[in-house]
Amino acid sequence: MATRATSTSLNFFFSQNPIETHKHSFLLNLSATISNPSFTSFTITHSSLLLPARFPTHHAISVDKSSSRFSCRSLSTDVPVSIKDYEFFDSTSEVELRISLVGRNFQSSRDIFVDANDTSLTIRVENSGSLTTLIETNKLFDKVKPAETIWFIDDDQLVVNLKKQDPELKWPDIVESWDSLIMGSTQLLKGASIYIVGGSTEINQKVGRELAVGIGYTSLSTKELLETFAKQTIDSWVLAEGPDSVAEAESTILESLSSHVRAVVATLGGPQGAARKADKWRHLHAGFTIWLSKTDAIDEDSAKEEARRHIQDGRLAYSNADVVIKFQGWDADNAKSVAQACLSALKQLILSDKQLSGKKSLYIRLGCRGDWPNIKPPGWDPSAADDTSPGAL
């Protein structure tokens, strides 16, 4: 029986919080259209550049640990590369892509065209005056040095060597996709937990669950923990004791969870959520915080301005988050797309300051005293309002 195609749209705008420890701000507008269960189509705007790309939902990836070689076979018929099979190899300073040329019927190496830019790669083969695209992606896993790109033909394979801009970063695949992001998350997060905040408890839970399952973290929901403890629903608790009572209880839960690692914690939305109150963020800073925020903005510029305004004025406690993701509309079926946007934003955040994960760990070890991001030396007393110690770790 044929699967009926559905079409929904979801726009994202996300940015890093430009606090003192990571000032490298970026904003992305991401439009997702689900027209087939097997793939998701994206259009991404990064700064002033329009970068169309298509990301597969599924890949079959086999890893040979002895040689660090990845053999990738797409399970989707509509992927960011035209071919379905290629070999990928990551070394210290460069990545290597091997593509079979069997059956391409080109005359010489002059019929092969390789075009690489910072984050994009296009490979075409000419045959009888007609160009066939082997690869066209505008979302490489990370930046490369295009001027140092080398390619050659090895028997029946085209070999392309791309020089990394960041030799310390291990590439799981040639493109940034859901699969490569979850495979690369270990080296970036280093066990640090993730806290999902925002006005909707439901959205926080669904996106948090997708993230946790993807990266192999424990999925936790403060709503579920509180309701289990109180043996009543959050709504009835609010009616009986008020939202402040629930927020106080959630704050206690967050304090307990702050020493945990490898967890994705979905927090309460609405006035009963602790994350809505600026004085309850002390233990949220123990992990990477992501603010999921709906927007009524009709275009990217308006969404950027809204996010920038919220972060700069600081009147919303959610603006304390490390990453802000703004989106138009919501459909539970798009939770995985939002989760992918979260991982992409976290990757950019951590690569902009590679000390962040270690700094989160230090913050926990010193007792989550509320001194994030300027961590004070051991012995600092958070209750000393007149503290003017210039030292910060």
Side-chain angles (χ1 to χ4, degrees), residues 47 75 79 88 99 123 175 187 252 330 370 378 392:
S47 300
L75 299 183
V79 295
F88 175 74
I99 304 169
I123 301 175
V175 296
Q187 63 177 314
T252 301
W330 167 253

Side-chain angles (χ1 to χ4, degrees), residues 144-306:
V144 298
K145 300 176 181 179
E148 298 183 44
T149 299
I150 299 173
W151 66 268
F152 57 92
I153 298 175
D154 181 15
D155 292 332
D156 59 355
Q157 287 186 317
L158 172 64
V159 182
V160 181
N161 286 29
L162 300 167
K163 188 75 69 173
K164 298 179 186 177
Q165 286 199 21
D166 182 356
E168 296 180 4
L169 180 66
K170 196 73 174 175
W171 287 34
D173 196 2
I174 192 67
V175 296
E176 181 189 280
S177 64
W178 172 250
D179 295 299
S180 63
L181 285 169
I182 61 178
M183 290 178 68
S185 63
T186 301
Q187 63 177 314
L188 298 172
L189 294 172
K190 302 186 186 306
S193 291
I194 298 172
Y195 294 86
I196 308 295
V197 304
S200 169
T201 302
E202 176 193 359
I203 294 176
N204 296 347
Q205 286 181 311
K206 291 187 180 298
V207 174
R209 191 172 297 114
E210 288 286 352
L211 268 176
V213 171
I215 64 179
Y217 272 26
T218 301
S219 177
L220 297 172
S221 163
T222 57
K223 177 180 184 289
E224 294 174 357
L225 293 173
L226 288 168
E227 290 183 338
T228 300
F229 166 76
K231 295 181 173 58
Q232 63 177 327
T233 66
I234 296 297
D235 290 341
S236 62
W237 190 343
V238 170
L239 287 174
E241 302 183 40
D244 289 344
S245 173
V246 178
E248 194 65 39
E250 186 184 30
S251 182
T252 301
I253 292 287
L254 292 172
E255 179 178 0
S256 176
L257 295 177
S258 65
S259 59
H260 289 226
V261 295
R262 297 180 179 85
V264 177
V265 182
T267 65
L268 289 174
Q272 65 268 23
R276 196 181 178 96
K277 304 178 184 298
D279 61 345
K280 303 298 184 186
W281 273 74
R282 175 175 167 180
H283 295 97
L284 282 168
H285 289 308
F288 289 105
T289 49
I290 301 174
W291 174 19
L292 303 181
S293 174
K294 287 185 179 180
T295 180
D296 293 325
I298 60 175
D299 55 41
E300 180 190 0
D301 289 338
S302 299
K304 285 181 179 181
E305 180 56 35
E306 181 181 272

Side-chain angles (χ1 to χ4, degrees), residues 22 57-58 67 84 99 115 127 147 191 207 274 292 326-327 363 370:
H22 38 92
T57 303
H58 306 289
S67 65
K84 295 183 181 181
I99 304 169
D115 183 18
N127 180 23
V207 174
L292 303 181
K326 288 192 168 291
F327 54 92
Y363 180 75

Side-chain angles (χ1 to χ4, degrees), residues 1-242:
M1 181 176 67
T3 302
R4 181 181 178 183
T6 59
S7 180
T8 56
S9 63
L10 185 66
N11 294 327
F12 304 88
F13 311 88
F14 53 98
S15 67
Q16 293 170 269
N17 190 342
I19 57 178
E20 294 181 21
T21 54
H22 38 92
K23 296 177 181 289
H24 304 282
S25 299
F26 71 95
L27 293 110
L28 295 174
N29 170 34
L30 181 151
S31 301
T33 301
I34 314 295
S35 56
N36 186 294
S38 66
F39 70 91
T40 304
S41 171
F42 297 86
T43 301
I44 297 181
T45 304
H46 184 186
S47 300
S48 60
L49 299 177
L50 181 61
L51 306 179
R54 302 184 76 80
F55 292 86
T57 303
H58 306 289
H59 270 108
I61 303 179
S62 59
V63 183
D64 180 353
K65 293 183 179 179
S66 63
S67 65
S68 299
R69 184 177 293 278
F70 298 79
S71 177
C72 306
R73 177 173 58 85
S74 171
L75 299 183
S76 169
T77 58
D78 199 344
V79 295
V81 292
S82 300
I83 57 174
K84 295 183 181 181
D85 295 279
Y86 59 86
E87 290 182 290
F88 175 74
F89 178 81
D90 181 291
S91 66
T92 302
S93 61
E94 64 185 23
V95 292
E96 179 182 288
L97 187 66
R98 285 180 170 263
I99 304 169
S100 174
L101 294 175
V102 175
R104 295 298 172 186
N105 298 321
F106 63 96
Q107 299 300 313
S108 69
S109 60
R110 290 177 297 179
D111 296 328
I112 297 176
F113 303 91
V114 178
D115 183 18
N117 288 305
D118 287 356
T119 58
S120 67
L121 175 66
T122 302
I123 301 175
R124 294 186 175 94
V125 175
E126 184 176 3
N127 180 23
S128 301
S130 177
L131 282 175
T132 299
T133 300
L134 300 184
I135 283 184
E136 185 172 21
T137 178
N138 288 299
K139 196 65 174 176
L140 293 173
F141 189 76
D142 194 39
K143 292 182 177 180
V144 298
K145 300 176 181 179
E148 298 183 44
T149 299
I150 299 173
W151 66 268
F152 57 92
I153 298 175
D154 181 15
D155 292 332
D156 59 355
Q157 287 186 317
L158 172 64
V159 182
V160 181
N161 286 29
L162 300 167
K163 188 75 69 173
K164 298 179 186 177
Q165 286 199 21
D166 182 356
E168 296 180 4
L169 180 66
K170 196 73 174 175
W171 287 34
D173 196 2
I174 192 67
V175 296
E176 181 189 280
S177 64
W178 172 250
D179 295 299
S180 63
L181 285 169
I182 61 178
M183 290 178 68
S185 63
T186 301
Q187 63 177 314
L188 298 172
L189 294 172
K190 302 186 186 306
S193 291
I194 298 172
Y195 294 86
I196 308 295
V197 304
S200 169
T201 302
E202 176 193 359
I203 294 176
N204 296 347
Q205 286 181 311
K206 291 187 180 298
V207 174
R209 191 172 297 114
E210 288 286 352
L211 268 176
V213 171
I215 64 179
Y217 272 26
T218 301
S219 177
L220 297 172
S221 163
T222 57
K223 177 180 184 289
E224 294 174 357
L225 293 173
L226 288 168
E227 290 183 338
T228 300
F229 166 76
K231 295 181 173 58
Q232 63 177 327
T233 66
I234 296 297
D235 290 341
S236 62
W237 190 343
V238 170
L239 287 174
E241 302 183 40

